[in-house]
Every structure is written in structure tokens, then in C-alpha cells.
């Protein structure tokens, strides 16, 4: 993607194209597939006005997306088993057996909506050489981290807006890229600021206290905030895939009957986004339906 914007002025790259790439793909321009970035820009900034609306949830994503989805599935009669990880897959005649903690569960169809490394491990547990290319492709997918720093300030501490962009400079110890005033979104979080660091490989080399102190200092200098009362740092080391140029992900339909991929592991025009996950899930479901109708 860096080649795509090579002729853009340096200030425009730093203040517009790089932040867009970080927000959408969680990697630097130099690491990103230009095609994947263009797909996101085409369907947002180049689409109808509403497609580029900035929506900030007032509650965490579990309450916003996961909980309503679980309720809808349960209302439709779906059996949901949480905290029951699948250890291996085995084919027994026309059916699959999922070896889980607590026992095995038979299934006609298995959709692996998993991160690439977990999907690869389960596919490798199947004794079928036809799956080896998919396992190899999944294991070649790199992951990128995201760090979020939560800072608690005195009650009533506010930003001018619920969310602000920050101009980061890792060499100068300014790691924060976006700051969210959680108190403006939910009164229960009054005084809490969350600062997001995308493509956060630099934070993996630092102690938690160093990251929190650096980000607190950044907000103090740039937004005139006082010293925080408390802090918490959470780093998800494998938060998203790295959508590198030429990245190949297996298709939803795997070469063994009854086995499918969804989520970040599956082929997609999108990076690791909610939109990409929804599209991958729909594609897998549609493929299952087509195969059922075709008697595969």
C-alpha cells in the first residue's frame, strides 16, 4: 500500500492515509495489501454517505453483538456450548466427530470460524492429505497486535469529543493513536479514557508500566489531562491477521466433504474486521446450503 500513496505529500500520508490503514487493517502502509485497503475505502469513503458514518458503541462488543446473537440463536432452538473447546476432528463414515473437553460430538457439517492458527491445528488433526495445502496456507498467515491503555481520571474529566485522533510517534514515546472518552459513551465509565495503539509491535518490547506512563504523558501534553489515578494495559498479541500483499487464504469450501471455513481464516476481500467476519460467515453458510442442495 505504500507504493499506492508514494506520490502523496508526506503530511497527507502521515495524517490521512497511514491512520486510515492502521484503523482498517491494523498494519503499517508498508505491510498492507493495496487491494485490501482499496476494498475497504471503496465500500466506505467511496460509497454512499451512510457507509462512512463513524459509529461508536456505547457498550462493549459482547453486549453490542455477541449477547444479541446468542439470544437469537437460542430463541431459534440452537444448542450453544460455551467453554467447550474442540481438541481434534475425526471423520467417521459420513459424519464428523468433534473431540471436545467432556466428550465427543457427532456432526454432519463443521464450520471452523476460528483464527488461522486454531483452524490450522484442527485441520492438521484430520488424517487427510487433501487438507495439507489449507493447513500450509493458514500457518503462513501472520498476526498483528493491538494494545489498549485504560486510564482512570477524576470523575467529570472530559474530552471535547467522545473520540479523538492522536498523532503518534513511537520514536518520541508517543504511542497512542486514538483516545475514547468512555464517560461520554456510558456514565458508568465516568473519567475513564481508553487509548488504542494499532500495529502495536513496539509495545511488545515494553513493560506495562512503561506503556501506561508514556500514554498518560502523551495525553497530559497534548490534551492537558491531569495525572491518571489508575491504569490498565491490555495487549492482544494476535488481534488481527496481517493482510500482506498476495496473501492467500483457503476458500470457505474445503476439499473434504462437510468441512468449511469462516472468520479470518477464510478467503475474503476484507481484513480482520466485523464486516469481514459477517461476510465470511454468510459465505460459509451459503456454501453449506448450496452443497446440501447439490447432495455433496
Amino acid at each position: 500500500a505504500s507504493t499506492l500513496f508514494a506520490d502523496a505529500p508526506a503530511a497527507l500520508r502521515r495524517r490521512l492515509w497511514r491512520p486510515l490503514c492502521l484503523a482498517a487493517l491494523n498494519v503499517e502502509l508498508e505491510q498492507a495489501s493495496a487491494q485490501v485497503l482499496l476494498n475497504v475505502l471503496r465500500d466506505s469513503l467511496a460509497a454512499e454517505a451512510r457507509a462512512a458514518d463513524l459509529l461508536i458503541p456505547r457498550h462493549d462488543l459482547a453486549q453490542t453483538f455477541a449477547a444479541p446473537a446468542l439470544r437469537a440463536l437460542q430463541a431459534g432452538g440452537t444448542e450453544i456450548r460455551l467453554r467447550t473447546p474442540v481438541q481434534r476432528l475425526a471423520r467417521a463414515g459420513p459424519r464428523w466427530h468433534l473431540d471436545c473437553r467432556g466428550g465427543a460430538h457427532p456432526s454432519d457439517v463443521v464450520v471452523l470460524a476460528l483464527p488461522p492458527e486454531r483452524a490450522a491445528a484442527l485441520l492438521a488433526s484430520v488424517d487427510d492429505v487433501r487438507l495439507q495445502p489449507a493447513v500450509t496456507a493458514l500457518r503462513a498467515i501472520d498476526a498483528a497486535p493491538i494494545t489498549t491503555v485504560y486510564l482512570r481520571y477524576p470523575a467529570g474529566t472530559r474530552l471535547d469529543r467522545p473520540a479523538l485522533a492522536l498523532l503518534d510517534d513511537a520514536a518520541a514515546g508517543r504511542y497512542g493513536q486514538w483516545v475514547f472518552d468512555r464517560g461520554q459513551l456510558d456514565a458508568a465509565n465516568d473519567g475513564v479514557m481508553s487509548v488504542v495503539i494499532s500495529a502495536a509491535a513496539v509495545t511488545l518490547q515494553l513493560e506495562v508500566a512503561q506503556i501506561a506512563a508514556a500514554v498518560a504523558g502523551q495525553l497530559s501534553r497534548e490534551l492537558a489531562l491531569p495525572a491518571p489515578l489508575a491504569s490498565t494495559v491490555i495487549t492482544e498479541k494476535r488481534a488481527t491477521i496481517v493482510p500482506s500483499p498476495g496473501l492467500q487464504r483457503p476458500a470457505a469450501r474445503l476439499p473434504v466433504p462437510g468441512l468449511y471455513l469462516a472468520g479470518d481464516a477464510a478467503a475474503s476481500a476484507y481484513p480482520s474486521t466485523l464486516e469481514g467476519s459477517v461476510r465470511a460467515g454468510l459465505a460459509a453458510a451459503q456454501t453449506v446450503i448450496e452443497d446440501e442442495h447439490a447432495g455433496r
Side-chain angles (χ1 to χ4, degrees):
S2 60
T3 304
L4 181 66
F5 304 109
D7 295 332
L12 190 63
R13 284 167 56 94
R14 187 180 184 210
R15 294 175 179 271
L16 177 61
W17 297 123
R18 178 176 176 269
L20 278 174
C21 184
L22 288 172
L25 275 62
N26 190 37
V27 292
E28 298 285 352
L29 283 168
E30 293 76 15
Q31 299 173 280
S33 162
Q35 185 59 63
V36 174
L37 180 56
L38 286 173
N39 292 340
V40 175
L41 296 179
R42 176 198 63 208
D43 295 341
S44 55
L45 300 184
E48 60 178 333
R50 290 184 59 189
D53 286 348
L54 179 61
L55 304 179
I56 305 175
R58 291 187 175 275
H59 305 289
D60 62 46
L61 296 183
Q63 295 181 63
T64 304
F65 295 106
L70 286 175
R71 289 194 294 268
L73 289 170
Q74 289 170 330
T78 302
E79 180 184 354
I80 298 173
R81 300 184 183 184
L82 301 177
R83 300 177 181 85
T84 311
V86 178
Q87 306 296 335
R88 64 184 296 273
L89 298 173
R91 186 81 172 173
R95 308 196 78 189
W96 288 96
H97 281 259
L98 287 68
D99 290 343
C100 305
R101 186 179 299 165
H105 305 285
S107 177
D108 295 321
V109 170
V110 176
V111 178
L112 301 179
L114 295 168
E117 69 277 6
R118 283 288 296 129
L122 285 178
L123 293 182
S125 73
V126 180
D127 186 18
D128 196 316
V129 295
R130 290 175 292 177
L131 292 172
Q132 189 54 51
V135 172
T136 300
L138 291 170
R139 286 176 172 166
I141 298 174
D142 291 326
I146 293 177
T147 292
T148 305
V149 181
Y150 295 91
L151 301 171
R152 180 173 291 281
Y153 293 92
T157 303
R158 287 284 183 272
L159 299 180
D160 293 339
R161 298 177 181 273
L164 295 172
L166 301 170
L167 196 60
D168 65 317
D169 183 351
R174 300 200 306 270
Y175 304 115
Q177 296 157 349
W178 296 275
V179 55
F180 297 86
D181 185 344
R182 305 298 294 270
Q184 293 192 49
L185 304 172
D186 183 350
N189 291 312
D190 186 24
V192 176
M193 308 293 166
S194 59
V195 180
V196 178
I197 307 170
S198 293
V202 64
T203 65
L204 301 180
Q205 313 302 320
L206 302 174
E207 298 293 333
V208 167
Q210 289 178 286
I211 301 169
V215 170
Q218 183 181 4
L219 297 192
S220 176
R221 291 187 300 273
E222 298 182 18
L223 302 176
L225 292 185
L229 304 176
S231 64
T232 298
V233 178
I234 298 176
T235 296
E236 176 56 57
K237 294 182 180 180
R238 304 185 67 84
T240 67
I241 66 167
V242 174
S244 54
L247 176 67
Q248 297 295 317
R249 287 180 274 176
R253 181 188 292 112
L254 291 167
V256 177
L259 199 54
Y260 303 85
L261 278 182
D264 286 347
S268 173
Y270 274 66
S272 299
T273 60
L274 292 173
E275 176 74 12
S277 294
V278 170
R279 290 184 177 218
L282 291 173
Q286 184 61 40
T287 304
V288 171
I289 293 171
E290 290 173 357
D291 286 354
E292 289 289 321
H293 286 169
R296 294 172 181 160

